[in-house]
Amino acid sequence: MKKIILDLDTGIDDALAIAYVLGSPDAELVGITGTYGNVLLEQGVRNSLALTELLGHPEVPVFAGLPHAMGRDGFAVSESTALIHGANGIGNVVIPDAERPVQDQPAVDFIIEAAHRYGDELAYVPTGAPTNLAAALRRDPSLKDRLHVVLMGGALTVPGNVNAWTEANIDQDPEAANEVFRSGVDATMVGLDVTHQTVLTRRALDEWRQIDTPAARAYVAMVGHYIGAYEKNAPYLGGCGLHDPLAAAVAIDPTLVGCLPINMKVECEGPTRGRTIGDERLINVAPKTTRVALTVDAPRFLREFMQRVGAALATAR
Ligand code: RIB
Ligand code: CA
């Protein structure tokens, strides 16, 4: 049973990652930590609380993380992101507020405590700006030898989705991402190289229309909105990229992807700021602490995805 912490900027594919983990018999969602990106921190935390209750899991604790990059004094959602995920992050679908509050403990403290408590049983899965993780590594450098990270972010062999070289999560805080890679923490990078190979089509989405729960109706509406955005922005994909659920799936079952071991860095200066690339200074240095996912068993992942998210939606209230 893998223990999972999801670190989310809870937009639509983050919501799918929650459902994926909750629908997985071989995983336990021990907590959600909030970050920013698709939405402001507060909205993401609100969505995580509300979605876990909609899915019938009020026991999952939700922690608020840092609201913006360390080197900036604020954060605003970009116009294009607000169109992709909707103004409320979940495709403008209205779901009830949660009854329970956010935890008092700050997210960074929870991450550090969980890393010490669970050790190798735990996978920490950032799928938004990696600011919380960089802060945790700074606060407790011993995390580098005890935390296993599976992050959604970056692009090594394909163009970015913000510009030709930058992926959205890394773009929010390139310095934090660079600190994470260069810290030597054990990391698997699940970037656009593989997440654009795992696409949900409108036809597949129709399967969930047969499930008669409020959660299923909300998810069908949300994901319909998300696919609509992809039809405008990246019609060649034929559906929406399953970024965050793929990272969650790899955290539970690493055999879904084939990886290149490499020491990575993020360029923080100049026109290619935000580019994820091999670190030329560490190219011949062992150990190679990051594995970049370059191949994916897309049919197997999509089968698991439909089954696990479908199970979470069907057992929800
Ligand atoms: O680039 C895709 C990533 O950016 C996903 O995590 C999506 O939710 C957004 O955060
Ligand atoms: Ca995300």
Side-chain angles (χ1 to χ4, degrees):
M1 181 69 96
K2 196 84 202 173
K3 296 191 189 300
I4 303 285
I5 296 175
L6 293 173
D7 188 83
L8 307 175
D9 58 331
T10 310
I12 298 171
D13 59 326
D14 305 76
L16 287 169
I18 296 176
Y20 190 97
V21 178
L22 292 176
S24 292
D26 45 358
E28 180 192 355
L29 185 55
V30 295
I32 294 175
T33 51
T35 184
Y36 59 92
N38 293 326
V39 283
L40 298 180
L41 171 74
E42 295 75 18
Q43 181 69 40
V45 165
R46 181 265 165 205
N47 291 347
S48 295
L49 286 163
L51 287 163
T52 44
E53 286 196 14
L54 186 70
L55 292 165
H57 285 276
E59 78 285 1
V60 177
V62 178
F63 303 83
L66 299 167
H68 55 77
M70 293 179 248
R72 297 192 189 142
D73 48 19
F75 169 74
V77 178
S78 76
E79 236 172 74
S80 57
T81 299
L83 287 175
I84 295 168
H85 291 270
N88 69 352
I90 50 173
N92 300 323
V93 174
V94 177
I95 60 171
D97 282 329
E99 286 174 12
R100 72 201 197 284
V102 66
Q103 300 287 311
D104 289 335
Q105 186 181 28
V108 171
D109 293 1
F110 170 69
I111 294 163
I112 293 171
E113 192 183 289
H116 284 269
R117 184 183 317 150
Y118 299 123
D120 291 342
E121 284 177 278
L122 178 72
Y124 169 74
V125 186
T127 72
T131 308
N132 293 330
L133 175 55
L137 283 160
R138 267 191 198 182
R139 174 99 59 80
D140 181 351
S142 83
L143 254 53
K144 141 180 146 34
D145 299 315
R146 44 177 105 239
L147 192 60
H148 300 285
V149 176
V150 181
L151 75 131
M152 193 287 131
L156 184 61
T157 60
V158 296
N161 56 1
V162 173
N163 54 42
W165 46 84
T166 311
E167 182 279 330
N169 290 338
I170 304 294
D171 183 56
Q172 306 295 4
D173 195 348
E175 284 78 13
N178 191 42
E179 272 186 55
V180 169
F181 286 128
R182 303 203 63 217
S183 71
V185 72
D186 176 76
T188 303
M189 177 178 127
V190 178
L192 302 178
D193 309 88
V194 281
T195 65
H196 276 172
Q197 296 183 51
T198 52
V199 167
L200 185 70
T201 62
R202 281 204 185 269
R203 181 179 295 185
L205 179 62
D206 281 343
E207 268 189 42
W208 294 339
R209 291 184 201 280
Q210 317 308 319
I211 307 173
D212 188 21
T213 60
R217 285 190 284 279
Y219 268 76
V220 166
M222 266 187 250
V223 179
H225 175 101
Y226 196 46
I227 293 178
Y230 269 81
E231 285 165 347
K232 284 198 196 100
N233 297 339
Y236 47 87
L237 285 177
C240 63
L242 293 173
H243 309 285
D244 299 349
L246 180 61
V250 171
I252 298 168
D253 178 2
T255 69
L256 283 167
V257 289
C259 293
L260 173 72
I262 181 170
N263 291 315
M264 293 288 288
K265 68 172 186 180
V266 179
E267 289 178 353
C268 293
E269 305 291 337
T272 53
R273 178 174 158 80
R275 179 188 187 200
T276 41
I277 187 80
D279 186 340
E280 70 280 10
R281 288 158 295 193
L282 300 178
I283 207 78
N284 292 321
V285 173
K288 307 212 170 163
T289 54
T290 297
R291 289 169 298 282
V292 176
L294 295 181
T295 60
V296 55
D297 187 342
R300 181 156 74 89
F301 166 68
L302 288 168
R303 272 197 308 278
E304 296 283 353
F305 174 82
M306 292 308 295
Q307 196 193 337
R308 291 174 187 229
V309 177
L313 298 179
T315 54
R317 69 183 154 102

